[in-house]
Amino acid sequence: MSSTLLIIQTLNGLQLGVLLFLIAAGLTLVFGVMDFINLAHGVQYMLGAYLAAMFVAWTGSFFIGIALALITALACGLVLEVAVMRHLYDRDHLEQVLATFGLILFLNEGVKIVWGAAPLQVPIPPSLSGTIRIADGVLYPVWRLAIIGSGLAVALGLYLVVAKTRVGMLIRAGATNAPMVSALGVDIRRLFMIVFGFGAMLAGFAGCMAAPVFSVEPGMGDNLLILAFVVIVIGGIGSIRGAFVGALLVGLVDTLLRSFSVDLLRLSGLSPSDARTIGPAIASMSIYILMAAVLFFRPTGLFPAKG
């Protein structure tokens, strides 16, 4: 276990945490405000990555392509809300799960028809390519630092929107008591549409930022959706602050234990063969152990929405 590897894996954990936050922020708002379980949220992350790949290839400009991808991701989210989701708000959670799971299958097959099943690649823009020296002997890709920085900027902007604006006030009120907000004359359907569309755009933005790092392929958002649900359970449903803290915790714990669990077990006295057998198993369970521990001491999460 070297300090260089520790620094690099810590930054990798922050990068994963930022991507999880971008996905979980919209998911926790949709669940907290609308009491709606949207299993198709990971598909919106995948759709953002595919849109980024398409528009960057069409325009020849990374930044124009990303801007067009975000606008299109927002439009797709609004279309999904009007065409499908709003008809499920009054249904029970089981029907919501079944319907949105069906939507996952439909959209995964849809991207195969439109873009093919082969993985796509998005080039890193030249201005953000290469590496930067962050410590003696430690080089780190500039694009990964850009992911961390942009994610933190979005987190700050989202906090200001939710905490300081009228729309944010309505979102917080809706997360606390949606029927009362509706009774006070607020168009709750429009609020739901804004929240859902904004959540889809955040997930699409995460896909755009991940596209140059990971392969763009069908089903790429499924595993991250599971992690995003873990994040909102740890942080507290309906809480942006909880989603941020939970995402960073999950990203760091998952990344660091996958890298160092074997070394830690060897230091604790296990034989190398036992450590190599047990370490990966513990690492893969680590975030669920963390979730169970948080729920044991804080059943509503670390920072639950008030009310």
Side-chain angles (χ1 to χ4, degrees):
M1 184 188 301
S2 66
S3 59
T4 299
L5 182 60
L6 178 61
I7 294 172
I8 291 174
Q9 293 302 328
T10 300
L11 290 172
N12 287 340
L14 288 175
Q15 176 203 291
L16 175 60
V18 163
L19 291 176
L20 287 176
F21 168 72
L22 292 173
I23 298 173
L27 189 62
T28 194
L29 286 178
V30 169
F31 197 8
V33 174
M34 301 152 65
D35 192 28
F36 179 69
I37 300 177
N38 179 22
L39 293 187
H41 199 71
V43 176
Q44 292 160 339
Y45 162 83
M46 176 192 68
L47 190 59
Y50 270 103
L51 291 172
M54 180 180 70
F55 284 119
V56 169
W58 279 5
T59 62
S61 169
F62 180 85
F63 297 104
I64 295 176
I66 293 298
L68 292 174
L70 289 179
I71 295 171
T72 309
L74 173 61
C76 290
L78 294 176
V79 169
L80 277 177
E81 198 278 337
V82 172
V84 180
M85 303 304 182
R86 66 172 49 181
H87 303 291
L88 301 172
Y89 293 156
D90 297 327
R91 305 292 185 91
D92 61 38
H93 287 163
L94 178 59
E95 293 184 26
Q96 293 171 359
V97 167
L98 292 175
T100 53
F101 181 73
L103 195 57
I104 291 175
L105 301 179
F106 176 79
L107 291 177
N108 278 335
E109 291 302 316
V111 298
K112 290 180 183 179
I113 295 172
V114 176
W115 288 286
L120 303 180
Q121 299 292 331
V122 177
I124 297 175
S127 59
L128 295 173
S129 61
T131 58
I132 188 173
R133 183 180 179 183
I134 56 177
D136 290 337
V138 180
L139 298 176
Y140 199 72
V142 175
W143 179 249
R144 290 179 180 266
L145 290 176
I147 292 175
I148 296 173
S150 61
L152 294 177
V154 169
L156 177 60
L158 188 58
Y159 167 77
L160 294 176
V161 168
V162 171
K164 305 295 183 181
T165 67
R166 184 176 184 275
V167 173
M169 177 190 69
L170 294 177
I171 290 173
R172 286 183 282 116
T176 302
N177 194 330
M180 180 62 71
V181 173
S182 180
L184 292 174
V186 175
D187 187 343
I188 201 71
R189 291 290 186 183
R190 178 178 294 180
L191 178 64
F192 284 1
M193 185 173 68
I194 291 172
V195 170
F196 190 90
F198 192 64
M201 188 174 67
L202 284 176
F205 180 65
C208 292
M209 300 304 290
V213 179
F214 307 109
S215 294
V216 180
E217 57 189 354
M220 63 181 291
D222 296 346
N223 290 333
L224 284 181
L225 177 68
I226 297 172
L227 295 180
F229 272 110
V230 172
V231 165
I232 66 173
V233 169
I234 290 175
I237 295 171
S239 169
I240 293 297
R241 179 174 61 165
F244 181 72
V245 174
L248 293 185
L249 280 175
V250 169
L252 288 170
V253 168
D254 184 68
T255 302
L256 291 177
L257 285 184
R258 287 183 187 275
S259 300
F260 300 117
S261 59
V262 174
D263 292 332
L264 292 173
L265 289 174
R266 291 176 63 183
L267 290 174
S268 68
L270 285 180
S271 66
S273 60
D274 289 341
R276 285 192 296 269
T277 301
I278 299 173
I282 292 178
S284 64
M285 296 187 297
S286 59
I287 58 172
Y288 305 106
I289 295 172
L290 173 64
M291 180 177 67
V294 170
L295 291 178
F296 180 79
F297 293 103
R298 299 288 297 269
T300 56
L302 295 176
F303 302 99
K306 294 181 179 179

